[in-house]
Amino acid sequence: MACLIKDPRNRSKYWICAYTAPDGRRLKKSTKQTDKQKAWQVCLSFIEAETAVATKSATEQQLRRVIDSALRRVGEAPLHEATVRQTLDTWLKEKSGALAPDSLKHYTQVAQLFIRFMGPRADQSIRQITKRDAVAFRDWLSLERSGSTVNKLKAFLAGAFQNAKEEGILEQNVFSLTQNLKVAPIERDTFTPEQVARLVAAAPSYDWKGMIILAYTSAARLMDAANMKWSNIDMGNGLLEFKVQKTGKRALLALHPDFNEWLATQQPPDNPHAFLFPSLAGERGAGKFGLSNQFKKIMAKAKITGRHVQSDSGVRKLSTLSFHALRHTSATSVYGNAALESIAKRVTQHSSDSLKRYIHHDLEVLRQATNLIPRLPRI
């Protein structure tokens, strides 16, 4: 028994053909029609095509003729077969109005990666994507990314395929059927203050020197540090405040004496929203010429190497020392303290005008915590 239905969540304007295939499966496919009479003609063509397949009497070309004939009877152009690229473009447009810019950036990234991976097949029907393709894409990502990152990107893409499935474009979501990579924690090493001083000395620019010191004294992640602005600095109160990209939370820290010394060598720009490290802001983190690889070259120049361990995906070797290790060196032990997190939360709830009046004690505790991070030795 066949019938026409609408998407219960009202995400599609088209009628959906719900019918029982010859093998007993209950299927739903979008007719791409808003007129019910025309949708019914398309629906009947689906059933005719399924019957032809079941009797093994149809080729792909014949099936297309069945559907196209039905469309012409209702005065429509031949049924459009959505490509991988078109499906992902539609998905991103839908997400653009519902996600924060930082989140949308991750969705866009995985869409671009999948299109690049598929090559010419990105302009072919999305119905031709198989579970084998999904597994191959997952394993391709793991060559340069951690297992946890691969699993996150795969989950994003599964969302796009799920949308296509619910609209009747696909019969199954091959990415939801693909297993995640096994993720095991990797024990990272930390830099000594003497090693950090060597990294600063080996840095090729003032921007790199400043960013290394900032990461060491603030626990800021690579992309947060690279895109830090002068407006994040409160020179009057000796504070650094910024939004953490990964969590969306606000971080409030006291400026460390070593970073204060670097700031003293810089001329504050007229524009408070200018980047602290303009030559590094906006650069990619990963990739051959990304900031992570640039930092590896600084480590090599400083003659600092970490242990090499197997990645959590088991595909590649990872160094236990990287830019992220600066976060774990001294600052994490200080700013991971629950009491200090509570103080920072209270501080960020006040306006700058009321800062000193209400939370002078809290600010002093933050400064004392920062002073627990060892000063860098002179090299």
Side-chain angles (χ1 to χ4, degrees):
M1 178 94 183
C3 63
L4 293 174
I5 61 174
K6 282 294 186 79
D7 182 350
R9 288 191 251 178
N10 203 27
R11 288 170 302 174
S12 175
K13 60 183 180 181
Y14 301 121
W15 285 100
I16 296 172
C17 176
Y19 62 98
T20 303
D23 62 2
R25 289 180 302 153
R26 191 68 178 167
L27 301 179
K28 295 179 182 179
K29 291 184 179 180
S30 174
T31 65
K32 297 297 181 184
Q33 301 295 322
T34 55
D35 182 274
K36 194 170 184 179
Q37 270 194 324
K38 293 179 179 180
W40 185 247
Q41 290 294 325
V42 175
C43 185
L44 292 176
S45 72
F46 289 161
I47 298 170
E48 183 181 352
E50 288 282 353
T51 302
V53 170
T55 57
K56 300 181 180 179
S57 62
T59 64
E60 182 176 348
Q61 188 175 12
Q62 289 170 328
L63 293 175
R64 285 184 177 277
R65 279 203 295 266
V66 169
I67 297 173
D68 288 348
S69 175
L71 289 171
R72 290 190 184 96
R73 286 198 302 271
V74 296
E76 296 288 335
L79 187 63
H80 174 66
E81 189 84 350
T83 67
V84 174
R85 191 188 305 274
Q86 290 167 342
T87 302
L88 293 180
D89 283 346
T90 301
W91 174 62
L92 289 175
K93 287 177 183 176
E94 179 190 0
K95 290 293 183 185
S96 64
L99 294 174
D102 287 343
S103 298
L104 183 62
K105 181 173 64 176
H106 296 304
Y107 283 76
T108 303
Q109 177 195 25
V110 72
Q112 292 172 342
L113 285 169
F114 189 61
I115 288 172
R116 190 173 83 190
F117 173 76
M118 295 306 298
R121 291 181 61 199
D123 294 307
Q124 297 178 7
S125 170
I126 193 170
R127 293 195 301 114
Q128 296 182 17
I129 303 302
T130 65
K131 183 177 178 181
R132 179 179 296 180
D133 294 319
V135 172
F137 178 64
R138 179 201 66 186
D139 294 344
W140 177 73
L141 287 176
S142 70
L143 295 176
E144 294 185 353
R145 294 167 178 81
S146 68
S148 56
T149 298
V150 171
N151 292 340
K152 180 176 70 174
L153 294 176
K154 186 180 77 67
F156 289 159
L157 206 53
F161 274 68
Q162 186 61 29
N163 278 1
K165 180 183 176 182
E166 291 174 356
E167 288 184 12
I169 298 172
L170 294 173
E171 292 185 12
Q172 61 180 5
N173 181 347
V174 294
F175 279 93
S176 67
L177 299 176
T178 303
Q179 294 291 319
N180 281 343
L181 293 175
K182 183 179 179 181
V183 177
I186 297 174
E187 185 178 349
R188 301 282 186 174
D189 292 330
T190 58
F191 293 105
T192 65
E194 188 270 340
Q195 286 177 321
V196 176
R198 283 161 53 192
L199 290 170
V200 173
S205 66
Y206 280 111
D207 283 358
W208 261 113
K209 292 178 188 293
M211 190 164 80
I212 291 170
I213 297 172
L214 175 65
Y216 168 68
T217 60
S218 71
R221 294 175 174 86
L222 177 62
M223 300 312 294
D224 286 333
N227 294 289
M228 203 71 69
K229 296 180 179 180
W230 282 92
S231 56
N232 297 121
I233 305 291
D234 179 353
M235 298 295 290
N237 290 299
L239 298 173
L240 171 70
E241 183 180 355
F242 63 96
K243 182 180 178 181
V244 181
Q245 286 188 23
K246 185 174 182 179
T247 63
K249 295 181 179 179
R250 295 166 71 189
L252 182 76
L253 318 166
L255 295 175
H256 189 273
D258 285 327
F259 190 64
N260 270 324
E261 287 185 2
W262 180 86
L263 284 173
T265 67
Q266 308 300 304
Q267 180 64 38
D270 294 332
N271 179 10
H273 298 293
F275 290 107
L276 269 176
F277 315 115
S279 66
L280 306 178
E283 293 290 317
R284 291 180 57 188
K288 184 177 180 181
F289 302 105
L291 295 175
S292 290
N293 266 342
Q294 292 181 42
F295 184 74
K296 288 179 183 177
K297 293 179 180 179
I298 295 174
M299 284 180 55
K301 185 177 178 181
K303 298 182 178 179
I304 298 172
T305 58
R307 297 178 295 110
H308 284 83
V309 296
Q310 201 77 18
S311 69
D312 51 17
S313 62
V315 177
R316 59 197 175 108
K317 292 281 189 177
L318 294 176
S319 173
T320 55
L321 283 178
S322 63
F323 188 91
H324 198 72
L326 290 168
R327 172 177 168 78
H328 293 281
T329 298
S330 296
T332 297
S333 61
V334 175
Y335 295 117
N337 182 286
L340 291 176
E341 287 183 3
S342 175
I343 289 173
K345 184 176 181 180
R346 292 203 303 275
V347 171
T348 55
Q349 289 173 345
H350 288 277
S351 67
S352 57
D353 292 338
S354 63
L355 207 55
K356 289 184 178 179
R357 183 172 52 182
Y358 288 108
I359 47 177
H360 175 78
H361 174 72
D362 288 347
L363 292 176
E364 187 57 37
V365 172
L366 284 178
R367 295 188 185 105
Q368 291 174 7
T370 299
N371 288 333
L372 295 176
I373 300 172
R375 293 292 304 268
L376 296 177
R378 304 295 178 182
I379 293 182

